[in-house]
DNA sequence: TTCAGGATGTACT
DNA sequence: GTACATCCTGAAC
């Protein structure tokens, strides 16, 4: 198995967000492993992006993580109830990140189903299957990700990213894999940045 | 199938 | 006090 390292995130945030599609997210929750394929991402570029928590170099206790080394996890609470998972990009001290907005389970989906709905995959309704982990809050629920995982470096063993997982029969995605591009979700307050085409997704 | 409204708590003004 | 990188429920169609 080949893991993504900090070099993957040490480059243009938009490019890295596109490249993160189709990679594998590995969650180790108390020894139970769940693997997902990333299907939707958004780029947030601190220096020029009013939708980014660290726009214009803003530093607060919450945004401090965004200034950490590339690949560091940035997890925050939104709307009082849901967590959102990001990975820091660019050189340390430059606050940009990629929000992971959606994924599909490809190994141990039952463990994710129990965390998300309290039942096994075979017990899920059609509606639940359609809305499994297709949103940032849903994804974090299914993988038991909360703010205790904020600020972890890559390779921490609790939350990791891989190019492939041959032991589970999961291949590396093609380099030229096509993807969709659109406007980001839920940032109506961000003035001109609402129109930045920095949301990317694939059809699973 | 779509839609309005509420849940819920932390960060920041 | 206000806003928030969201999600679920229930009602109407």
């Amino acid at each position: 198995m080949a893991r993504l390292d900090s070099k993957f995130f040490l480059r243009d945030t938009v490019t890295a967000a596109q490249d993160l599609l189709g990679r594998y997210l590995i969650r180790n929750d108390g020894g139970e492993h769940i693997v997902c394929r990333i299907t939707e991402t958004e780029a947030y570029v601190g220096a020029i992006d009013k939708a980014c928590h660290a726009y214009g170099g803003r530093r607060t206790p919450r945004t401090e993580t965004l200034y950490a080394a590339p690949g560091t996890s940035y997890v925050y609470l939104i709307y009082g109830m849901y967590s959102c998972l990001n990975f820091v990009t660019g050189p340390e001290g430059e606050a940009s990140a990629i929000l992971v907005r959606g994924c599909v389970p490809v190994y141990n989906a039952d463990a994710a189903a129990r965390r998300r709905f309290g039942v096994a995959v075979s017990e899920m309704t059609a509606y639940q299957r359609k809305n499994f982990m297709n949103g940032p809050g849903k994804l974090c629920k299914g993988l038991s990700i909360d703010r205790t995982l904020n600020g972890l470096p890559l390779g921490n063993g609790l939350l990791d990213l891989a190019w492939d997982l041959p032991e589970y029969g999961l291949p590396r995605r093609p380099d030229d894999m096509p993807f969709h591009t659109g406007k980001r979700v839920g940032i109506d307050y961000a003035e001109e940045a609402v129109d930045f085409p920095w949301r990317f997704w694939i059809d699973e």
Side-chain angles (χ1 to χ4, degrees):
Chain A
M1 169 182 62
R3 302 257 170 157
L4 273 62
D5 59 19
S6 62
K7 265 188 301 190
F8 183 93
F9 295 98
L10 184 56
R11 54 177 163 156
D12 172 67
T13 303
V14 170
T15 305
Q18 296 167 350
D19 200 4
L20 193 57
L21 295 169
R23 310 303 179 191
Y24 298 105
L25 178 63
I26 307 158
R27 170 74 171 122
N28 175 359
D29 184 23
E32 192 164 41
H33 289 73
I34 305 171
V35 180
C36 296
R37 177 168 40 246
I38 295 170
T39 55
E40 184 177 350
T41 61
E42 283 179 357
Y44 288 83
V45 180
I48 59 168
D49 179 7
K50 286 179 181 162
C52 183
H53 292 159
Y55 169 65
R58 169 171 221 247
R59 287 189 103 112
T60 67
R62 181 176 66 161
T63 64
E64 200 55 35
T65 305
L66 284 166
Y67 295 88
T72 301
S73 60
Y74 171 51
V75 183
Y76 64 90
L77 187 69
I78 189 68
Y79 298 115
M81 291 180 240
Y82 301 104
S83 298
C84 290
L85 170 67
N86 303 248
F87 291 99
V88 174
T89 60
E92 188 164 354
E94 194 180 297
S96 298
I98 300 168
L99 169 66
V100 184
R101 282 192 61 87
C103 68
V104 294
V106 290
Y107 171 76
N108 208 2
D110 272 330
R114 283 194 300 274
R115 284 162 177 74
R116 177 90 168 87
F117 300 114
V119 299
V121 171
S122 59
E123 306 293 320
M124 285 165 60
T125 65
Y127 184 79
Q128 288 173 328
R129 286 166 197 273
K130 195 173 169 186
N131 294 283
F132 199 167
M133 296 199 282
N134 60 339
K138 305 174 197 176
L139 177 160
C140 286
K141 178 107 189 278
L143 298 177
S144 292
I145 291 170
D146 61 25
R147 284 171 299 166
T148 63
L149 297 179
N150 180 48
L152 296 178
L154 281 176
N156 60 78
L158 298 177
L159 198 55
D160 279 301
L161 293 161
W163 300 96
D164 59 52
L165 288 146
E167 64 270 44
Y168 299 143
L170 300 169
R172 178 170 169 150
R173 67 155 237 209
D175 287 337
D176 60 351
M177 187 183 66
F179 58 88
H180 304 278
T181 299
K183 295 180 185 178
R184 293 174 294 175
V185 176
I187 54 158
D188 292 345
Y189 58 90
E191 302 179 19
E192 79 282 352
V194 300
D195 294 323
F196 293 1
W198 288 353
R199 173 178 170 236
F200 310 104
W201 71 98
I202 55 178
D203 307 315
E204 311 196 347

